[in-house]
Amino acid sequence: MTEQSPALRLEGITKTFPGVKALDDVSFAVMPGEVHALMGENGAGKSTLMKVLGGIYQPNAGRIVVGEEQAVMTNPLEAKSKGIVFIHQELSLAEELSVAENIYLGELPRKRFGMVDWTTLYARTDAILDKLKVGFNARTRVGALSIANQQMVEIARALTVDAKAVIFDEPTASLTDAEKVVLFDVIADLRSQGVGIIYISHRMEEIFKITDRISVLRDGQYRGTLETAQTNEDEVTQLMIGRKLDLSRNASHHELGDVALEVRGLSCGTLYQDVSFEVRRGEVVGFYGLVGAGRTEIAETLFGLRDPSAGTILMDGEEVRISSPVDAIARGISLVPEDRKGQGLVLGMNCRDNMTLPQVDDLKAGPFVADGAEIAIFDQYRDKLDIRTPGWKQMVRNLSGGNQQKIVIGKWLSMHPSVLIVDEPTRGIDVGSKSEIHNLIRDLAAQGYAVIVISSEMPEVLHVSDRIVAMYQGRVMRSFTSDEVTEDSLIQAISGITPDKVA
Amino acid sequence: MATMTKKDIGGFLARQGILVAFALFIIGFTIANPKFLTPDNILSVVRSSAILGVMALGVTFVVISGNLDLSVGSMMSFSTIVVLDLHDTLGPTMAIPAMFAMTLALGALIGFLVGYLKLNSLIVTLGMLSAIHGLTLTYSGGKNMDIDDKSGTWLSVFGQGQIAGIPVPILIFLALAALLGIVLAKTPFGRKVYAVGGNGVAATFSGIRRARTVFLCYLMSAACVATAGLIQASRSMGSQNTVGQGMELEVLAAVILGGASLLGGSGTIFKTVIGVLILGFIQNGLLLMGLQFYAQFVVTWVIIILAVWLDIAAKRGRLWSPIA
């Protein structure tokens, strides 16, 4: 294998966005017939790297080499024609079309007068499907297939070109165990045909089962490649998290107040089950887990956006029913949502109007919105949160991610909530603003707010939380105090590995 | 002076296209027919735009809230026929409130379907366009409606009256524009309309009752339609069943010409008034140039397409883009 040239080689890939270096001189190579894991926390740069490979982003520096040739790709079709194929986490299939039509979409075989040559189409498709040993045929409607089988259609689509490198992005996220076995067989098959495979996943178990080497990204930088057979979960985790972590642990221990919010046995269908926890005034409780573990859904239930199927919610010891955001706000629950642009802000509105939106009915002078009161609120929270904007008339669209997030936080602080839920507080925010927002969350707790922070980034959860609730597939696996938590135990808990003693 | 690249020109046209086009039209019309820019003609254009204008004010709320209202034309026919019919049985004092109540009920139905049931507003109001037309025909038995005693009623004041030499329809239009302009720009309700249309999800996440806001926008639109129907009835004192037919498109054209985005979240009452005037002047100018009246329907369509295209182009910052 030493003399072989790599199937895919990245050399010094750098990609910057205004204010952020998303990728900083990333280099690694995938050999033919190798399954190469790419790991890193959310925000480490994996998605950006994939978009560069897929021709969606152009790197500012560096080059991509496929086989022997340098590949310059300006769109996804070019990437495919160079032999780089993606199997996405989110499927992109036309459900009403047949399997064959989906696989050859855009390049259907033709007869005279541009008519589709169905015989050839179905024959070619069935030949590919035979190789994959799947239980459906070329004529099946894609919408009738399970998610796992739809994924097989995506893989079949990949096999129609002479693939040099196939990239799997969290392929097992929605698969059952039995379906995973089939997928892994297909991957093994591809490997034996000499295809280079990049396998992106957070699930250690899978990584150690099927990959040959593991490359790790952190903060947009390449942190090294390990031989899977000669490493262990601890070493990989350490590489992913970095060393600075212990220094940034939350050290402040002020007095905690009464229980502001208590949740008992809360369930919501299949999204999460039997969740219980409490949050005291002055406390930050962090919820950590993989995407899909049910954390956001709990927040949405507390904010009245989802009805729980069982369980009770108590505020200050009194049972409450929250059936809409209006109820939640009236009870003093605020939510800084996960999707800032989609859920948190009206981008085409100015800073002030966004900030005062929930209380616009209360800020009245006669029948009109009281301009002066609004500006006073905006000024107060602009100063308090250090929001950098030329003025309140500025469209929120034009602010940086960090300042946008502060507008959303200011919006809720100005309502003086008793419980503040912050979902992914720093997603897509540059490093400098990140620590500002972390400090802000700590300050809020010190001022007596009960705060829930949901995050997929471990350093963040460790940094801001007094207690951490680890979730896995809709269940609370374990709850840690900031003294007892370790990165290892946390990773184990969110990966579904039960510790010897359950706290 | 720096030369403008092709892209700069495209971007400029994308941003200012409507105004540039309008200016060219005005210059062209004035050269073609000196009567175009006389006070008499201007007053006549504004007066004949007033009914359309009043309807456009209400539709502005609906469009800013991120929805459409294609039912306003047939709803206006309905209001006109109803008020004319009831006039002879109940007298104007009772007929007018009764007509308003019936029109508002239609608006409430649409508001319920679009706001609370979250049905697509295009489908709902397109269906209502046809349903209300049927309702009007059923109500009138397919006959035209006339007032018996045309000279002995004060109903005529809304369409034919003048105060200080200014026709009452113009005064109603301007007064309503001022009132609704303030409602939209200055009240909590107006703010919520922008929020719901700008990002309905974020509005919900901010504790705004989205369904109620949309519902109220349709009520507002129905109230404007009822007012327009009143002016129409009062002006002619008799009417066909189809008096408002096709006006939904002209109204929408005026609102979009003014710069309200079909995607919701932007637009103002002032801009809509400008849009109404642009449409009125272009149609009048074409008439003065001798264009057949019926050709105006084609022209209106061209103007709508132009306005929608420029609206999208302004968002992209260029006139054409390979991806949406």
Side-chain angles (χ1 to χ4, degrees), chain B:
Chain B
M1 200 177 111
T3 48
M4 263 183 139
T5 66
K6 215 169 148 188
K7 201 177 159 193
D8 291 337
I9 295 169
F12 176 77
L13 275 180
R15 283 187 302 274
Q16 308 295 342
I18 290 286
L19 287 178
V20 173
F22 185 49
L24 291 177
F25 266 116
I26 295 284
I27 293 168
F29 289 146
T30 313
I31 293 168
N33 191 333
K35 254 169 61 185
F36 183 67
L37 270 188
T38 57
D40 272 357
N41 191 50
I42 291 172
L43 200 65
S44 136
V45 169
V46 179
R47 189 181 53 206
S48 59
S49 301
I51 291 177
L52 179 89
V54 167
M55 289 160 76
L57 298 177
V59 170
T60 302
F61 279 80
V62 173
V63 169
I64 293 175
S65 80
N67 295 295
L68 287 175
D69 193 346
L70 295 180
S71 69
V72 292
S74 66
M75 201 189 280
M76 198 273 266
S77 306
F78 174 81
S79 305
T80 307
I81 293 295
V82 166
V83 79
L84 288 172
D85 178 59
L86 294 181
H87 178 270
D88 285 352
T89 48
L90 302 176
T93 326
M94 290 307 295
I96 294 170
M99 176 275 278
F100 265 83
M102 289 165 77
T103 311
L104 285 175
L106 292 175
L109 176 61
I110 299 174
F112 173 76
L113 294 174
V114 177
Y116 290 93
L117 297 191
K118 299 184 171 55
L119 305 184
N120 181 293
S121 67
L122 177 75
I123 304 298
V124 169
T125 61
L126 198 57
M128 285 303 270
L129 183 160
S130 162
I132 297 174
H133 183 55
L135 191 64
T136 311
L137 288 173
T138 311
Y139 184 91
S140 68
K143 296 193 294 283
N144 293 344
M145 206 61 80
D146 269 302
I147 287 179
D148 292 338
D149 179 11
K150 290 189 173 141
S151 52
T153 172
W154 55 266
L155 185 72
S156 62
V157 72
F158 302 103
Q160 302 171 25
Q162 289 200 350
I163 297 174
I166 302 172
V168 171
I170 294 183
L171 294 175
I172 294 177
F173 174 43
L174 295 180
L176 258 187
L179 176 70
L180 295 185
I182 289 171
V183 168
L184 187 57
K186 297 287 179 193
T187 65
F189 169 68
R191 184 74 58 79
K192 288 186 253 180
V193 173
Y194 282 107
V196 164
N199 185 346
V201 175
T204 304
F205 271 73
S206 295
I208 285 175
R209 293 182 170 95
R210 187 176 170 183
R212 179 190 290 183
T213 307
V214 170
F215 177 80
L216 290 174
C217 285
Y218 278 103
L219 270 194
M220 198 79 103
S221 178
C224 289
V225 168
T227 309
L230 177 63
I231 298 172
Q232 177 65 43
S234 160
R235 192 162 80 175
S236 55
M237 305 300 270
S239 173
Q240 298 178 335
N241 293 301
T242 52
V243 58
Q245 198 173 51
M247 281 186 81
E248 56 281 334
L249 282 188
E250 286 185 87
V251 166
L252 201 58
V255 172
I256 298 165
L257 273 177
S261 165
L262 273 183
L263 302 173
S266 74
T268 65
I269 289 292
F270 178 72
K271 285 179 175 175
T272 290
V273 171
I274 298 293
V276 168
L277 295 179
I278 291 180
L279 196 65
F281 276 108
I282 289 178
Q283 289 182 344
N284 172 264
L286 292 171
L287 267 186
L288 288 183
M289 278 173 70
L291 194 76
Q292 259 205 35
F293 175 74
Y294 299 114
Q296 288 198 0
F297 296 120
V298 180
V299 172
T300 306
W301 177 81
V302 171
I303 292 171
I304 293 176
I305 298 300
L306 195 67
V308 171
W309 177 38
L310 289 170
D311 172 42
I312 294 169
K315 291 224 161 55
R316 294 196 289 245
R318 51 202 246 198
L319 292 172
W320 186 83
S321 151
I323 45 173

Side-chain angles (χ1 to χ4, degrees), chain A residues 300 303 305 325-326 329 335 337 341-346 349 352-353 356-358 360-361 364 367-369 371 374 411-412, chain B residues 182-183 185-209 212 265 315:
Chain A
E300 288 174 351
F303 196 59
L305 292 159
V326 179
I329 292 165
L335 172 66
K341 291 178 179 170
Q343 303 169 330
L345 295 165
V346 183
M349 259 184 159
R352 180 199 70 178
D353 293 2
T356 58
L357 197 53
V360 70
D361 272 325
K364 278 198 292 198
F368 304 125
V369 183
D371 247 24
E374 278 195 293
K411 169 164 90 175
W412 292 117
Chain B
I182 289 171
V183 168
K186 297 287 179 193
T187 65
F189 169 68
R191 184 74 58 79
K192 288 186 253 180
V193 173
Y194 282 107
V196 164
N199 185 346
V201 175
T204 304
F205 271 73
S206 295
I208 285 175
R209 293 182 170 95
R212 179 190 290 183
K315 291 224 161 55

Side-chain angles (χ1 to χ4, degrees), chain A residues 91 145-153 174-176 179:
Chain A
L91 304 166
L145 297 175
S146 69
I147 297 289
N149 277 332
Q150 291 189 7
Q151 200 162 40
M152 287 299 163
V153 175
S174 40
L175 299 191
T176 64
E179 291 166 340

Side-chain angles (χ1 to χ4, degrees), chain A residues 24-335:
Chain A
D24 187 2
D25 195 20
V26 172
S27 307
F28 70 93
V30 182
M31 303 306 290
E34 177 192 30
V35 181
H36 196 119
L38 181 63
M39 297 195 74
E41 288 206 290
N42 292 340
K46 285 173 306 188
S47 324
T48 312
L49 186 61
M50 290 308 113
K51 284 180 177 154
V52 168
L53 269 179
I56 296 167
Y57 292 158
Q58 307 310 310
N60 299 86
R63 59 187 205 131
I64 300 164
V65 181
V66 182
E68 313 266 274
E69 277 174 66
Q70 176 168 358
V72 178
M73 295 159 302
T74 55
N75 64 52
L77 276 180
E78 271 184 84
K80 192 175 175 185
S81 71
K82 299 270 185 344
I84 303 177
V85 182
F86 287 82
I87 311 297
H88 289 286
Q89 186 177 357
E90 277 150 33
L91 304 166
S92 50
L93 297 169
E95 297 205 342
E96 293 304 321
L97 297 184
S98 69
V99 168
E101 287 168 294
N102 266 287
I103 290 174
Y104 284 99
L105 205 60
E107 42 206 8
L108 294 171
R110 298 301 172 94
K111 291 193 295 195
R112 271 186 303 167
F113 308 124
M115 307 288 279
V116 174
D117 183 353
W118 296 103
T119 322
T120 311
L121 173 65
Y122 290 138
R124 277 193 206 165
T125 307
D126 280 328
I128 294 174
L129 295 180
D130 278 350
K131 271 200 275 182
L132 293 175
K133 300 183 190 70
V134 293
F136 55 89
N137 67 41
R139 291 161 207 260
T140 314
R141 192 176 66 90
V142 162
L145 297 175
S146 69
I147 297 289
N149 277 332
Q150 291 189 7
Q151 200 162 40
M152 287 299 163
V153 175
E154 288 261 8
I155 293 170
R157 198 195 255 175
L159 298 181
T160 63
V161 296
D162 181 19
K164 300 282 194 307
V166 178
I167 296 142
F168 288 87
D169 188 0
E170 294 273 2
T172 56
S174 40
L175 299 191
T176 64
D177 284 344
E179 291 166 340
K180 280 182 201 170
V181 173
V182 178
L183 176 74
F184 293 159
D185 280 349
V186 170
I187 290 177
D189 228 41
L190 284 174
R191 179 199 341 220
S192 68
Q193 291 165 27
V195 176
I197 292 163
I198 297 183
Y199 190 88
I200 301 174
S201 176
H202 285 287
R203 297 172 198 225
M204 289 283 188
E205 196 192 315
E206 291 169 14
I207 298 280
F208 278 88
K209 196 164 158 189
I210 69 163
T211 69
D212 300 305
R213 290 193 296 165
I214 303 170
S215 287
V216 176
L217 292 183
R218 181 173 71 221
D219 300 333
Q221 290 172 339
Y222 170 71
R223 294 292 168 159
T225 299
L226 303 164
E227 297 280 340
T228 309
Q230 285 154 33
T231 183
N232 54 45
E233 296 188 11
D234 284 346
E235 196 180 1
V236 175
T237 309
Q238 209 156 29
L239 208 53
M240 279 166 62
I241 303 167
R243 251 176 230 98
K244 307 177 293 187
L245 195 67
D246 285 353
L247 300 172
S248 68
R249 275 295 186 82
N250 156 39
S252 68
H253 285 287
H254 47 263
E255 287 296 302
L256 298 184
D258 304 330
V259 175
L261 174 76
E262 188 183 349
V263 167
R264 286 188 199 149
L266 201 66
S267 300
C268 183
T270 56
L271 295 170
Y272 59 85
Q273 296 86 35
D274 196 22
V275 170
S276 302
F277 63 91
E278 56 178 46
V279 189
R280 292 171 175 276
R281 294 190 197 289
E283 183 181 40
V284 179
V285 175
F287 276 72
Y288 187 59
L290 294 174
V291 172
R295 299 162 302 159
T296 295
E297 289 78 6
I298 293 173
E300 288 174 351
T301 307
L302 292 174
F303 196 59
L305 292 159
R306 285 179 195 277
D307 285 331
S309 50
T312 50
I313 300 168
L314 296 92
M315 293 199 67
D316 298 316
E318 182 196 337
E319 188 175 333
V320 294
R321 232 187 84 76
I322 301 165
S323 54
S324 71
V326 179
D327 287 353
I329 292 165
R331 295 280 180 189
I333 297 177
S334 291
L335 172 66

Side-chain angles (χ1 to χ4, degrees), chain A residues 338-409:
Chain A
E338 172 183 33
D339 178 1
R340 185 165 55 243
K341 291 178 179 170
Q343 303 169 330
L345 295 165
V346 183
L347 291 175
M349 259 184 159
N350 66 42
C351 294
R352 180 199 70 178
D353 293 2
N354 264 289
M355 197 181 270
T356 58
L357 197 53
Q359 51 182 324
V360 70
D361 272 325
D362 306 323
L363 294 171
K364 278 198 292 198
F368 304 125
V369 183
D371 247 24
E374 278 195 293
I375 294 170
I377 288 174
F378 174 78
D379 285 347
Q380 183 188 346
Y381 287 91
R382 179 197 57 203
D383 296 346
K384 191 167 173 178
L385 306 180
D386 191 22
I387 298 170
R388 266 149 279 167
T389 156
W392 65 261
K393 289 180 179 165
Q394 186 70 21
M395 290 282 168
V396 164
R397 188 194 306 283
N398 300 330
L399 300 188
S400 71
N403 282 309
Q404 286 182 345
Q405 187 70 314
K406 289 179 188 173
I407 296 269
V408 184
I409 294 173

